[in-house]
PDB file of all heavy atoms in Angstrom:
ATOM      1  N   ASP O 112      16.152   5.420  28.815  1.00 87.00           N
ATOM      2  CA  ASP O 112      16.702   6.645  29.303  1.00 87.00           C
ATOM      3  C   ASP O 112      16.221   7.893  28.507  1.00 87.00           C
ATOM      4  O   ASP O 112      16.957   8.789  28.218  1.00 87.00           O
ATOM      5  CB  ASP O 112      18.260   6.615  29.221  1.00 87.00           C
ATOM      6  CG  ASP O 112      18.844   7.809  29.965  1.00 87.00           C
ATOM      7  OD1 ASP O 112      18.287   8.282  30.973  1.00 87.00           O
ATOM      8  OD2 ASP O 112      19.941   8.271  29.550  1.00 87.00           O
ATOM      9  N   ILE O 113      14.949   7.732  28.120  1.00 91.00           N
ATOM     10  CA  ILE O 113      14.243   8.892  27.452  1.00 91.00           C
ATOM     11  C   ILE O 113      13.014   9.106  28.186  1.00 91.00           C
ATOM     12  O   ILE O 113      12.329   8.208  28.565  1.00 91.00           O
ATOM     13  CB  ILE O 113      13.929   8.577  26.011  1.00 91.00           C
ATOM     14  CG1 ILE O 113      15.222   8.263  25.143  1.00 91.00           C
ATOM     15  CG2 ILE O 113      13.174   9.663  25.261  1.00 91.00           C
ATOM     16  CD1 ILE O 113      14.948   7.671  23.870  1.00 91.00           C
ATOM     17  N   PRO O 114      12.642  10.422  28.548  1.00 92.00           N
ATOM     18  CA  PRO O 114      11.313  10.656  29.217  1.00 92.00           C
ATOM     19  C   PRO O 114      10.176  10.061  28.379  1.00 92.00           C
ATOM     20  O   PRO O 114      10.080  10.232  27.228  1.00 92.00           O
ATOM     21  CB  PRO O 114      11.236  12.209  29.271  1.00 92.00           C
ATOM     22  CG  PRO O 114      12.654  12.654  29.070  1.00 92.00           C
ATOM     23  CD  PRO O 114      13.377  11.631  28.214  1.00 92.00           C
ATOM     24  N   VAL O 115       9.298   9.416  29.145  1.00 93.00           N
ATOM     25  CA  VAL O 115       8.137   8.648  28.422  1.00 93.00           C
ATOM     26  C   VAL O 115       6.849   9.125  29.145  1.00 93.00           C
ATOM     27  O   VAL O 115       6.714   9.302  30.340  1.00 93.00           O
ATOM     28  CB  VAL O 115       8.214   7.209  28.608  1.00 93.00           C
ATOM     29  CG1 VAL O 115       7.036   6.499  28.036  1.00 93.00           C
ATOM     30  CG2 VAL O 115       9.511   6.605  27.966  1.00 93.00           C
ATOM     31  N   VAL O 116       5.881   9.448  28.252  1.00 94.00           N
ATOM     32  CA  VAL O 116       4.503   9.760  28.811  1.00 94.00           C
ATOM     33  C   VAL O 116       3.590   8.610  28.112  1.00 94.00           C
ATOM     34  O   VAL O 116       3.657   8.465  26.948  1.00 94.00           O
ATOM     35  CB  VAL O 116       3.926  11.157  28.209  1.00 94.00           C
ATOM     36  CG1 VAL O 116       2.554  11.327  28.693  1.00 94.00           C
ATOM     37  CG2 VAL O 116       4.869  12.162  28.797  1.00 94.00           C
ATOM     38  N   ILE O 117       2.957   7.938  29.055  1.00 94.00           N
ATOM     39  CA  ILE O 117       2.001   6.878  28.494  1.00 94.00           C
ATOM     40  C   ILE O 117       0.700   7.479  28.182  1.00 94.00           C
ATOM     41  O   ILE O 117       0.111   8.267  28.994  1.00 94.00           O
ATOM     42  CB  ILE O 117       1.809   5.772  29.645  1.00 94.00           C
ATOM     43  CG1 ILE O 117       3.101   5.131  30.071  1.00 94.00           C
ATOM     44  CG2 ILE O 117       0.760   4.722  29.103  1.00 94.00           C
ATOM     45  CD1 ILE O 117       3.665   4.030  29.141  1.00 94.00           C
ATOM     46  N   VAL O 118       0.288   7.390  26.943  1.00 94.00           N
ATOM     47  CA  VAL O 118      -0.914   7.917  26.494  1.00 94.00           C
ATOM     48  C   VAL O 118      -1.973   6.860  26.254  1.00 94.00           C
ATOM     49  O   VAL O 118      -1.793   5.961  25.335  1.00 94.00           O
ATOM     50  CB  VAL O 118      -0.732   8.720  25.155  1.00 94.00           C
ATOM     51  CG1 VAL O 118      -1.955   9.354  24.636  1.00 94.00           C
ATOM     52  CG2 VAL O 118       0.356   9.780  25.293  1.00 94.00           C
ATOM     53  N   LEU O 119      -2.898   6.808  27.150  1.00 92.00           N
ATOM     54  CA  LEU O 119      -3.883   5.734  27.034  1.00 92.00           C
ATOM     55  C   LEU O 119      -4.975   6.177  25.990  1.00 92.00           C
ATOM     56  O   LEU O 119      -5.827   7.022  26.301  1.00 92.00           O
ATOM     57  CB  LEU O 119      -4.634   5.424  28.357  1.00 92.00           C
ATOM     58  CG  LEU O 119      -3.814   4.733  29.398  1.00 92.00           C
ATOM     59  CD1 LEU O 119      -4.438   4.866  30.706  1.00 92.00           C
ATOM     60  CD2 LEU O 119      -3.585   3.318  28.969  1.00 92.00           C
ATOM     61  N   ASN O 120      -4.936   5.511  24.813  1.00 89.00           N
ATOM     62  CA  ASN O 120      -5.901   5.924  23.784  1.00 89.00           C
ATOM     63  C   ASN O 120      -7.116   4.930  23.853  1.00 89.00           C
ATOM     64  O   ASN O 120      -7.072   3.881  24.471  1.00 89.00           O
ATOM     65  CB  ASN O 120      -5.202   5.737  22.414  1.00 89.00           C
ATOM     66  CG  ASN O 120      -6.035   6.329  21.284  1.00 89.00           C
ATOM     67  OD1 ASN O 120      -6.954   7.170  21.533  1.00 89.00           O
ATOM     68  ND2 ASN O 120      -5.755   5.993  20.052  1.00 89.00           N
ATOM     69  N   MET O 121      -8.226   5.360  23.287  1.00 84.00           N
ATOM     70  CA  MET O 121      -9.454   4.549  23.194  1.00 84.00           C
ATOM     71  C   MET O 121     -10.060   4.400  24.599  1.00 84.00           C
ATOM     72  O   MET O 121     -10.708   3.372  24.853  1.00 84.00           O
ATOM     73  CB  MET O 121      -9.199   3.184  22.548  1.00 84.00           C
ATOM     74  CG  MET O 121      -8.608   3.326  21.150  1.00 84.00           C
ATOM     75  SD  MET O 121      -8.439   1.820  20.271  1.00 84.00           S
ATOM     76  CE  MET O 121      -7.170   2.189  19.129  1.00 84.00           C
ATOM     77  N   MET O 122      -9.834   5.378  25.497  1.00 82.00           N
ATOM     78  CA  MET O 122     -10.483   5.293  26.821  1.00 82.00           C
ATOM     79  C   MET O 122     -12.022   5.381  26.668  1.00 82.00           C
ATOM     80  O   MET O 122     -12.736   4.828  27.530  1.00 82.00           O
ATOM     81  CB  MET O 122      -9.957   6.403  27.645  1.00 82.00           C
ATOM     82  CG  MET O 122      -8.585   6.157  28.150  1.00 82.00           C
ATOM     83  SD  MET O 122      -8.410   4.653  29.194  1.00 82.00           S
ATOM     84  CE  MET O 122      -9.172   5.381  30.735  1.00 82.00           C
ATOM     85  N   ASP O 123     -12.496   6.044  25.613  1.00 81.00           N
ATOM     86  CA  ASP O 123     -13.929   6.182  25.445  1.00 81.00           C
ATOM     87  C   ASP O 123     -14.589   4.791  25.158  1.00 81.00           C
ATOM     88  O   ASP O 123     -15.598   4.436  25.717  1.00 81.00           O
ATOM     89  CB  ASP O 123     -14.279   7.103  24.301  1.00 81.00           C
ATOM     90  CG  ASP O 123     -13.478   6.837  23.004  1.00 81.00           C
ATOM     91  OD1 ASP O 123     -12.363   6.230  23.147  1.00 81.00           O
ATOM     92  OD2 ASP O 123     -13.967   7.190  21.946  1.00 81.00           O
ATOM     93  N   VAL O 124     -13.851   3.923  24.412  1.00 79.00           N
ATOM     94  CA  VAL O 124     -14.355   2.632  24.176  1.00 79.00           C
ATOM     95  C   VAL O 124     -14.287   1.811  25.410  1.00 79.00           C
ATOM     96  O   VAL O 124     -15.225   0.985  25.754  1.00 79.00           O
ATOM     97  CB  VAL O 124     -13.448   1.877  23.101  1.00 79.00           C
ATOM     98  CG1 VAL O 124     -13.971   0.502  22.827  1.00 79.00           C
ATOM     99  CG2 VAL O 124     -13.337   2.682  21.874  1.00 79.00           C
ATOM    100  N   MET O 125     -13.295   2.062  26.246  1.00 80.00           N
ATOM    101  CA  MET O 125     -13.136   1.305  27.520  1.00 80.00           C
ATOM    102  C   MET O 125     -14.227   1.661  28.418  1.00 80.00           C
ATOM    103  O   MET O 125     -14.935   0.743  29.064  1.00 80.00           O
ATOM    104  CB  MET O 125     -11.806   1.721  28.178  1.00 80.00           C
ATOM    105  CG  MET O 125     -11.281   0.717  29.123  1.00 80.00           C
ATOM    106  SD  MET O 125      -9.683   1.200  29.795  1.00 80.00           S
ATOM    107  CE  MET O 125      -9.300  -0.221  30.672  1.00 80.00           C
TER     108      MET O 125
END
Side-chain angles (χ1 to χ4, degrees):
Chain O
D112 188 32
I113 298 170
V115 176
V116 177
I117 302 279
V118 180
L119 286 169
N120 193 18
M121 304 186 205
M122 283 298 283
D123 49 337
V124 181
M125 202 177 189

